[in-house]
Each structure stands twice: as structure tokens, then as C-alpha cells.
Amino acid sequence: MKNTKVGFPKGVPYIIGSELAERFSFFGMRSILSIFLVHQFFNPHGLKTLDTIAEAKSNAYTHAFSCLLYFTPFLGAFLADWYLGKYRVILLGCIVYAFGHFILAASADSLTGFASGMMTIAFAAGVIKSCVSANVGDQFTHSNQHLMSAAYGWFYFSINFGGTIGILLIPVLYSRFGPAVSFGLPGLLMTLATLIFYLGRKNYIKVPPTGIKKANFITVSFFALKTLITGNKSQTIWQHTETKYGSEKVDAVKAVYRVMAVFAFIPVFWAMWDMNQSEWALQADKLNLNLGIAGIKLLASQVQVAGAVFILVMIPFCNYVLFPLLKKSGIKLSPLRKIGAGLFITALSFIIIAMLQTRIQNGFSPSVWWQILAYLLLSMAEVLVAVTGLEYAYTQSPPSVKSTMTAIWFLAYSIGTFFTTIININIAHQGLFSYFTGDRYFYLFAGIMVFCFVIFLLVSPFIKEKAYLADSLPESR
């Protein structure tokens, strides 16, 4: 049945509510993960001589966790697009997700058991990730397309609101009651997220799976490659491919390649962003955590809340103040321009972190406010890159591969964190990258980002944009 309603879709509030609870569970757990691994398993006696190796091991575990988490969206996308549909994949994934949290709570004294819990969460959270964001877009058609940006904005707002509560509360529970409680509560919140999502089942527009089609993206792409290799004098590559599969299939393949050209620049952003939950958290443990306001002193794990709070402010500020103001000033803010600006600002945030690390190495204990400033810049970059990219992944991809394209967006995260995992494993074993420790580690990534930003400036003018929305898709409830 075709959705003809022009208002805000009824299913979106359930999706957003479920996402809020899920993000509480995830970010609450993640806020203490790096410090817990160091203190519980890798340097339980707090020996200064083991700091570098212990922190590198912790970073390797947390980045490997992120790498798996953002690789498995491919599995969820394939299951959703071809077999089960997004609703079933999300519901089943949420159940396994909650189980993974309870494994963490029960395995605080066993690295093997704890690692299995991390793998369970990474697998389940990754499987649902591409489906949840694409499911938001499925609730819209051209008739209410104008509300989609606001919906994605509130969707991302819920991510960070839930994350803010989790980051504030879970470190306190960890310091007072230990790992069983602080890892168990996220399991209860994930159970709540599952229930909220289930309660909205009658309000969702559920786009059914299409099954594996003979003329899919891979098939058409290989035919075009074969045409390129064998040559065709009478027609261009795409003309010959269009004759074989039709213009609609060729346009879809071209759209995917266009989007992937943008996503090629994203791994370095996610590699750096992921450090705010690991490297930055470990750095915070060496800062002066006294805010100088009413005697408030933060826990090292709580400093991450600055990023979530700034996102809560930045999203409405950008959507309702900054972007309209720039538009009135005659500055066109295309998605590509937003992403480019975000890449540059990310580099600036890491320069601040590197300078902080230099001060720490020189025996000082800098104010946490400097790291909070870096979080401010990183949060602005997140709005410009992550929020924009999430919507871009949906709108710029054909209906038949929307979950798959969202999975490719998350694959960029996996690729980025795989790179940082390898570097930290190498540092832990005192390999080639052991030179890039301390401030040199952060300057390395800042330099890589500046290089990517320059290349993006050169390439982005040649990337065309076209929105694909699914008014005519078959729908069921």
C-alpha cells in the first residue's frame, strides 16, 4: 500500500525512542571500556613502565571491537534487502545485542569471556546498524520528503542524548559498584530498546525484501568491467551495458559508484573519531579534571560526555541557525561541502589533542578544558560529516540497495578502525610504529587528515548528486 500521508510518519518516534535506549547501553558501556581493560587486565597494578604497552593493547581491543561492529552491517544489509526485511533483522539483532551486555557483566574477571561479550555486541549492533538508519528513510516518500532532514537530525539527536546519559551515569556506577553493575545496566537498557521497537511494529512502513536478483549491482558491474576489458567499438561501456540490462540498472550502478567516491574519504574521519572513546579517554586520565566550577571534578571516563552534549547543541544550532544563515548569505551548503568542512575541522581537533599530549610528556597536568575544546571541534565535524553522510547514504543510493549502501557507509568506519587497530598492535609489540607514540601519534593522524582534505577538494567538484526516494516501492505493514 502506498503511503500518501504528508505528515511526520507514525513509526519514526518508536525508532527514535528505541535508538535512544540502545545508544545509552552502547555509549555507557563504551565510556568505561578502555580504562576497564587497562586497569583490570593489562596493567592492574598501575605500573608506569607498562603504561604505553597496556594502553596500546587496550586501544587495539577497542578499535578491533569497532572494526567488527562496523563491518557486520553488510551482513545485516544483505539479510534485510534480500531475505528478511529490515524489521525482522532489527528485532532479532536487538535480542542478541542485549544478551551480549549480560555476558560482559558476568565476565569481568575473564579476558576471554569478556572478549566474547564484546564480539557478541559488535556482531549484533553491527547487524542492525545499517537497517535502523535506512528504516528511518523508508518511512518517507516525496510527499513528506521535506521532513526527512529533520527526522535524521532528531534520530542523531536521540543517539547523542542517550549517549550523554550513559556516559554520565555508567562511570559513576563503575567507580562505586564495580563492573558487574556498570556493564549489567546497559543490558537492561538494551532490553528496553528491544521492547520499544517491538511496540511500534504496527506503525512502520515495512519495505519487503527483494530477493537476490540476477541483474543486481555486482552482475551489472562485472558486465561493464568485461566490456571495458574486451572492448566494444560501436558503443561506450555503459551504452553496451544498458542494452543488456536496461537504463534503470545502469543508472543504479552509476549512483552506487558516485556515492562510493565520496565514502572513500571517510575512513580516516572514523579512525580519528573513534579515538575520542579510547585514546582521548586514556589521555583524560592524565589531565587536571577539576572544572573550576563549584568544585566539580569529572571522572576520566565522563569527559567523553562533552562530545555528546555538544552534538545535542550543534544539531539544532546548525539546522535552524547556522545553515539557514549561511544560505541567506548566498553560501550554498551542499552535502559535499559540509563533509569537506568537517574533514578539515577534524584535523584541527587533533592538533589540540597533540599539543595537550606534548604538555603531558613534559610533566604538566593540563586543564581538561583544552580537551573539551577539542570535543567541541570534533562534534562540529561530526555534524558535518556523520549526520550528512548518513542521510547522503540513503538519498543518493537506489531503492534496491539502500541498506547495502548504508552498510558501505559503516564499512568506512570499519576500515578506519582496522587501520588504528593494526597500528596499536604494532606499538604494543614495539614494531615500526612504536616511533609514533605520545604526541607524534596524534600529529600523524592530523597530517593524514589534512592530506585527505586536500584531495577531497580536488575531487568533489566532479561528483554529481541525485536523490532516490522510494514512493513507488511495494509496502506492507
Side-chain angles (χ1 to χ4, degrees):
M1 182 177 68
K2 187 174 181 179
N3 183 24
T4 58
K5 297 179 180 179
V6 297
F8 206 76
K10 291 183 178 180
V12 170
Y14 290 94
I15 298 173
I16 291 176
S18 176
E19 186 70 7
L20 189 153
E22 184 268 329
R23 290 290 87 183
F24 176 104
S25 74
F26 180 84
F27 282 112
M29 174 274 298
R30 186 67 194 269
S31 68
I32 61 174
L33 187 59
S34 294
I35 291 177
F36 170 78
L37 288 171
V38 169
H39 292 172
Q40 185 74 7
F41 299 120
F42 302 132
N43 192 8
H45 302 296
L47 300 178
K48 291 291 184 181
T49 55
L50 293 179
D51 271 354
T52 299
I53 293 177
E55 290 180 4
K57 287 181 178 179
S58 173
N59 292 334
Y61 267 76
T62 55
H63 291 314
F65 169 77
S66 295
C67 181
L68 176 61
L69 191 155
Y70 287 95
F71 180 78
T72 49
F74 263 114
L75 175 60
F78 293 151
L79 289 173
D81 286 343
W82 293 350
Y83 295 108
L84 300 177
K86 299 181 187 71
Y87 172 77
R88 290 188 181 91
V89 170
I90 294 170
L91 184 61
L92 293 173
C94 284
I95 294 171
V96 177
Y97 194 161
F99 182 65
H101 278 293
F102 293 125
I103 294 177
L104 293 185
S107 306
D109 295 323
S110 168
L111 180 58
T112 301
F114 195 83
S116 68
M118 291 175 64
M119 289 179 63
T120 301
I121 291 175
F123 178 83
V127 163
I128 70 172
K129 189 166 286 292
S130 59
C131 301
V132 173
S133 55
N135 196 35
V136 174
D138 280 352
Q139 310 308 307
F140 292 87
T141 64
H142 283 283
S143 63
N144 56 5
Q145 175 187 357
H146 60 288
L147 298 173
M148 184 182 290
S149 291
Y152 271 108
W154 284 113
F155 176 74
Y156 216 81
F157 183 93
S158 72
I159 290 174
N160 289 277
F161 184 68
T164 298
I165 300 172
I167 295 170
L168 282 175
L169 179 60
I170 297 303
V172 175
L173 294 179
Y174 176 54
S175 65
R176 294 184 180 180
F177 302 106
V181 173
S182 55
F183 287 118
L185 182 60
L188 294 178
L189 264 294
M190 193 57 229
T191 303
L192 176 63
T194 306
L195 178 61
I196 293 173
F197 181 75
Y198 176 74
L199 291 175
R201 64 193 182 281
K202 295 182 180 179
N203 296 283
Y204 303 135
I205 293 175
K206 302 170 187 173
V207 177
T210 60
I212 300 178
K213 297 181 178 179
K214 182 178 180 181
N216 57 27
F217 168 76
I218 297 175
T219 303
V220 178
S221 296
F222 271 114
F223 184 84
L225 179 62
K226 178 182 177 182
T227 303
L228 175 65
I229 294 173
T230 59
N232 188 294
K233 296 181 180 179
S234 61
Q235 294 177 308
T236 66
I237 297 170
W238 292 115
Q239 285 174 336
H240 190 57
T241 307
E242 185 175 320
T243 302
K244 174 74 172 178
Y245 291 107
S247 60
E248 183 179 347
K249 291 293 181 184
V250 170
D251 287 343
V253 170
K254 287 181 178 179
V256 173
Y257 286 142
R258 185 178 65 241
V259 175
M260 290 176 67
V262 176
F263 289 0
F265 295 89
I266 304 302
V268 66
F269 167 77
W270 285 125
M272 296 170 72
W273 185 92
D274 197 62
M275 293 183 197
N276 86 86
Q277 299 175 329
S278 48
E279 282 88 338
W280 290 27
L282 294 172
Q283 184 188 73
D285 212 17
K286 303 177 181 68
L287 298 176
N288 179 359
L289 298 173
N290 195 327
L291 293 179
I293 301 174
I296 298 175
K297 184 176 181 179
L298 296 174
L299 297 170
S301 299
Q302 289 181 313
V303 181
Q304 301 167 56
V305 78
V309 170
F310 286 139
I311 283 291
L312 295 178
V313 175
M314 286 291 181
I315 290 175
F317 172 74
C318 289
N319 285 338
Y320 301 114
V321 180
L322 180 60
F323 293 164
L325 183 62
L326 291 174
K327 186 176 180 181
K328 287 182 180 180
S329 302
I331 300 175
K332 183 181 178 181
L333 283 178
S334 67
L336 296 182
R337 288 186 176 182
K338 290 179 183 178
I339 290 172
L343 297 180
F344 179 75
I345 294 172
T346 302
L348 293 181
S349 71
F350 265 69
I351 290 174
I352 293 175
I353 293 297
M355 293 172 67
L356 263 179
Q357 193 64 33
T358 301
R359 295 282 291 172
I360 292 171
Q361 290 166 198
N362 290 335
F364 295 95
S365 182
S367 171
V368 69
W369 282 106
W370 287 106
Q371 195 179 82
I372 291 174
L373 174 61
Y375 271 109
L376 175 64
L377 292 177
L378 189 65
S379 298
M380 173 60 79
E382 187 178 352
V383 172
L384 293 170
V385 177
V387 177
T388 303
L390 196 61
E391 182 179 349
Y392 191 85
Y394 184 86
T395 61
Q396 299 296 311
S397 58
S400 60
V401 291
K402 286 192 180 294
S403 288
T404 303
M405 185 50 64
T406 305
I408 293 175
W409 164 255
F410 290 125
L411 178 63
Y413 198 131
S414 181
I415 293 171
T417 52
F418 177 77
F419 178 60
T420 50
T421 300
I422 295 300
I423 288 179
N424 278 281
I425 290 174
N426 187 269
I427 292 173
H429 290 85
Q430 299 180 323
L432 177 65
F433 282 99
S434 60
Y435 173 79
F436 293 101
T437 57
D439 55 356
R440 290 191 294 266
Y441 181 84
F442 297 116
Y443 278 124
L444 170 66
F445 281 93
I448 293 173
M449 177 58 84
V450 170
F451 175 78
C452 288
F453 168 71
V454 173
I455 300 300
F456 186 82
L457 287 182
L458 298 175
V459 172
S460 59
F462 299 97
I463 301 174
K464 305 298 182 183
E465 296 179 332
K466 177 183 178 181
Y468 291 81
L469 294 176
D471 290 56
S472 58
L473 284 177
E475 298 166 357
S476 62
R477 290 186 180 275

